[in-house]
Amino acid sequence: AIYKHPHRNAYLSTLRFWAALQETRQPCSPTRDELLDSWHTLLMAKFISAMMFPDAREQAQALSGLSRWLSSSLRYTPGTIGGIKVDGTTFHHGGFYPGYTTGVLATVGEYIAFTNGTSFELTEDARKHMKSAILLEERWEAMISKHLPISLYPAICPVREIRLIVVWLPTIYV
């Protein structure tokens, strides 16, 4: 419907702007904070807006930029800056935040699944960092599930999402 609308270009431009697709023209800045928010809330919007370019060359350029940006953002971050730490933990808003991480990893996992086998796959380092975060999150959730009453567990530890993420591990192949 959007492609046939007389205001198509304005709509697509607005979508790209609010998805922050423009930030993917360059690799992610090493000092960029709040990466978990960007991955969780904007990654699929970026992916969709990149896919909606009517021109195949522009689409490929946008997807290449998104892959480069996401790969460079899936790095180990220092201190309390949001992102993945060298031990696989993830920080969000200056602290360890495993409850939020589950959805974040699921979103990045979807991107990995969508681009698997294409020229838009993540770099090997990005996949290694993602894998370390997934494995740590799974261990954390397994540990917590042993100590929480069963009635609280689903609300705090959405293990179903983690199990889905672990299914994607073979597509990370690192």
Side-chain angles (χ1 to χ4, degrees):
I2 290 176
Y3 286 118
K4 295 179 182 176
H5 197 280
H7 301 294
R8 171 188 81 177
N9 292 340
Y11 292 161
L12 293 176
S13 176
T14 301
L15 173 63
R16 287 189 288 271
F17 175 81
W18 287 109
L21 187 63
Q22 65 277 11
E23 85 173 317
T24 67
R25 293 179 187 150
Q26 299 289 324
C28 184
S29 168
T31 58
R32 170 81 154 75
D33 199 0
E34 301 310 332
L35 291 169
L36 272 66
D37 272 332
S38 187
W39 300 331
H40 196 223
T41 60
L42 291 174
L43 181 57
M44 284 301 114
K46 284 176 169 60
F47 182 68
I48 290 166
S49 62
M51 293 289 295
M52 291 186 72
F53 275 100
D55 181 74
R57 288 173 297 156
E58 288 179 300
Q59 187 180 82
Q61 183 178 22
L63 289 168
S64 292
L66 178 55
S67 178
R68 179 185 59 237
W69 180 87
L70 183 57
S71 287
S72 63
S73 72
L74 285 166
R75 65 186 181 288
Y76 294 135
T77 57
T80 59
I81 290 178
I84 301 171
K85 304 303 171 187
V86 294
D87 64 355
T89 57
T90 54
F91 269 50
H92 179 57
H93 296 302
F96 180 49
Y97 200 158
Y100 188 68
T101 299
T102 304
V104 170
L105 297 178
T107 302
V108 177
E110 287 176 331
Y111 181 87
I112 290 168
F114 291 151
T115 59
N116 189 34
T118 72
S119 61
F120 310 115
E121 288 181 325
L122 299 179
T123 64
E124 184 176 343
D125 279 347
R127 293 190 311 266
K128 283 180 183 177
H129 298 163
M130 177 69 175
K131 185 175 182 176
S132 72
I134 290 170
L135 293 174
L136 187 315
E137 185 77 358
E138 183 186 33
R139 286 193 306 272
W140 180 85
E141 291 202 10
M143 178 192 70
I144 292 298
S145 69
K146 293 177 185 175
H147 302 289
L148 287 177
I150 195 73
S151 63
L152 293 177
Y153 180 68
I156 296 173
C157 304
V159 76
R160 191 183 93 240
E161 280 189 65
I162 281 297
R163 296 290 175 238
L164 290 173
I165 294 167
V166 172
V167 168
W168 291 321
L169 279 176
T171 67
I172 297 174
Y173 57 86
V174 178

